């Protein structure tokens, strides 16, 4: 039987759940949203709050400070740029190498019907 990977449950996790996961009614019927925004106004923070609707399982959102969100976007943009650069370099390296493969090395009988392909090539 395969072992399932579960996140480690510890006091930090429980503390986060108690303090930072809020129901939509918690936010709308109290000053919690104002309290969160006041925390964010004191300077950059990596604190994250999760707001969820108990009636809709997928209705969830993360609330983070604008400065932290900007940092995350900057990291994402840098990562995307680096991945694009690596992909481009790999494509250029492959383009410079000759491809001396026979058709049967690239496709097998399950991938393509070679007889049908030959017929189509003759028709064109």
């Amino acid at each position: 039987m395969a072992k399932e990977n579960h996140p480690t449950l510890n006091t930090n996790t429980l503390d986060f759940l108690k303090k930072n996961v809020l129901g939509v009614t918690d936010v709308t019927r109290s000053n919690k949203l104002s309290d969160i925004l006041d925390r964010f106004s004191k300077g950059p923070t990596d604190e994250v709050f999760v707001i969820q609707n108990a009636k809709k399982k997928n209705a969830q959102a993360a609330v983070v400070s604008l400065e932290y969100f900007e940092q995350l976007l900057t990291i994402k943009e840098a990562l995307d740029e680096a991945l694009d650069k690596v992909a481009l370099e790999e494509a250029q390296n492959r383009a410079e190498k000759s491809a001396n493969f026979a058709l049967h090395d690239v496709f097998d009988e399950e991938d393509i019907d070679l007889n049908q392909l030959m017929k189509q090539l003759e028709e064109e």
Side-chain angles (χ1 to χ4, degrees), residues 29-77:
R29 294 183 183 167
S30 69
N31 293 331
K32 289 201 184 267
L33 185 56
S34 291
D35 294 343
I36 291 169
L37 295 175
D38 286 342
R39 283 182 179 188
F40 292 163
S41 71
K42 294 176 183 169
T45 177
D46 61 357
E47 199 166 11
V48 176
F49 293 88
V50 176
I51 299 175
Q52 58 188 11
N53 185 341
K55 294 179 183 178
K56 292 183 180 177
K57 186 177 182 178
N58 293 330
Q60 299 175 330
V63 178
V64 298
S65 73
L66 193 57
E67 292 87 1
Y68 186 58
F69 186 65
E70 185 177 18
Q71 288 176 346
L72 294 175
L73 283 178
T74 302
I75 292 167
K76 181 190 178 304
E77 289 168 357

Side-chain angles (χ1 to χ4, degrees), residues 115-124:
N115 292 329
Q116 181 66 24
L117 177 61
M118 294 305 289
K119 283 182 186 178
Q120 288 177 341
L121 290 173
E122 289 173 3
E123 290 173 3
E124 291 181 16

Side-chain angles (χ1 to χ4, degrees), residues 20-35:
N20 296 61
V21 178
L22 308 167
V24 95
T25 54
D26 294 333
V27 175
T28 57
R29 294 183 183 167
S30 69
N31 293 331
K32 289 201 184 267
L33 185 56
S34 291
D35 294 343

